[in-house]
Amino acid sequence: MFTGIVATIGRIEAVTPLGANADAGVRLSIASGGLPLGDVALGDSIAIQGACMTVVAKTDSHFDVDVSRESLSKTVGLARPGEVNLEKALRLADHIGGHLVSGHVDGLGTVTHFAPVGESHELRVRASTELGKYLAYKGSVVVNGVSLTVNSVRDDADGCEFSINLIPHTVAVTTLKHLKAGSQVNLEIDLIARYVERMLSHTTLAQPATV
């Protein structure tokens, strides 16, 4: 579990195929930036651009993770060198500054607008109808590993567009600063919304037939 509060910006420095066939995944070698690795053991989880990955090797300043082809097909930002948001797994004594995050990317969104508004930035993202039903005004969503508050949701026949206000600090300390119209982003919906939807659908299906 994570909180969606990015600890630092790291950098994927090398992407090494794990096999010769088309189904092979890759090993990422990541410079940890300001993320201390002294308490990270092999097998621990680190969220990279919002995707939970397992540490398979480490030094004082770098760590490696293996990413399956399936994960690569469902995420963005993990297939080539570049900056990435990093967060270590939540400990029971940690503050939850964002919201409870699983690190399981639910789908991709597409940035439709990213521009300054006063001292902040407005980010608008288009999501599928399937993900859009979990988004609500003042609810939580994870974008590239960052816990954010939804400011508005607009549904249409092809999906939905939601907007977010990014304060200067968030822009400065995450990779969201690099977004532009057309960029794809990793999205994770709120865990509570997922379970509410499941409970409501199960209750409807379980209702006895009336005569």
Side-chain angles (χ1 to χ4, degrees):
M1 298 295 292
F2 305 90
T3 69
I5 302 299
V6 171
T8 193
I9 295 176
R11 183 173 184 83
I12 298 175
E13 294 192 334
V15 180
T16 306
L18 293 173
N21 61 66
D23 295 329
V26 297
R27 175 164 292 189
L28 306 181
S29 177
I30 300 171
S32 61
L35 190 74
L37 299 178
D39 61 345
V40 174
L42 299 186
D44 282 356
S45 296
I46 294 178
I48 306 166
Q49 289 293 94
C52 176
M53 296 293 162
T54 300
V55 176
V56 297
K58 56 163 283 194
T59 66
D60 290 339
S61 60
H62 290 71
F63 66 96
D64 292 358
V65 299
D66 290 343
V67 186
S68 70
R69 182 54 51 181
E70 171 70 11
S71 293
L72 290 173
S73 70
K74 296 294 192 296
T75 61
V76 293
L78 301 181
R80 61 181 61 88
E83 290 188 336
V84 287
N85 294 321
L86 299 178
E87 181 190 355
K88 290 192 285 191
L90 174 68
R91 297 173 297 184
L92 290 179
D94 288 343
H95 295 289
I96 302 176
H99 69 284
L100 288 177
V101 174
S102 68
H104 300 156
V105 174
D106 291 299
L108 301 180
T110 302
V111 175
T112 58
H113 177 82
F114 184 60
V117 177
E119 76 285 355
S120 300
H121 278 69
E122 182 188 22
L123 172 64
R124 296 202 295 263
V125 178
R126 186 158 191 81
S128 67
T129 300
E130 178 61 27
L131 293 184
K133 67 182 180 181
Y134 298 106
L135 298 170
Y137 173 64
K138 297 303 180 184
S140 296
V141 67
V142 181
V143 180
N144 283 353
V146 186
S147 172
L148 298 167
T149 301
V150 177
N151 279 353
S152 68
V153 181
R154 181 177 61 84
D155 297 305
D156 57 41
D158 299 319
C160 81
E161 183 182 69
F162 63 94
S163 69
I164 294 165
N165 181 72
L166 300 177
I167 64 172
H169 175 77
T170 301
V171 174
V173 301
T174 71
T175 63
L176 298 182
K177 65 171 67 71
H178 302 309
L179 295 179
K180 58 185 178 181
S183 298
Q184 285 194 301
V185 290
N186 296 321
L187 299 178
E188 181 185 333
I189 53 139
D190 184 49
L191 286 171
I192 296 174
R194 188 199 312 273
Y195 283 113
V196 168
E197 193 273 340
R198 171 60 179 161
M199 287 187 290
L200 290 175
S201 64
H202 186 270
T203 299
T204 301
L205 292 172
Q207 291 296 322
T210 57
V211 294

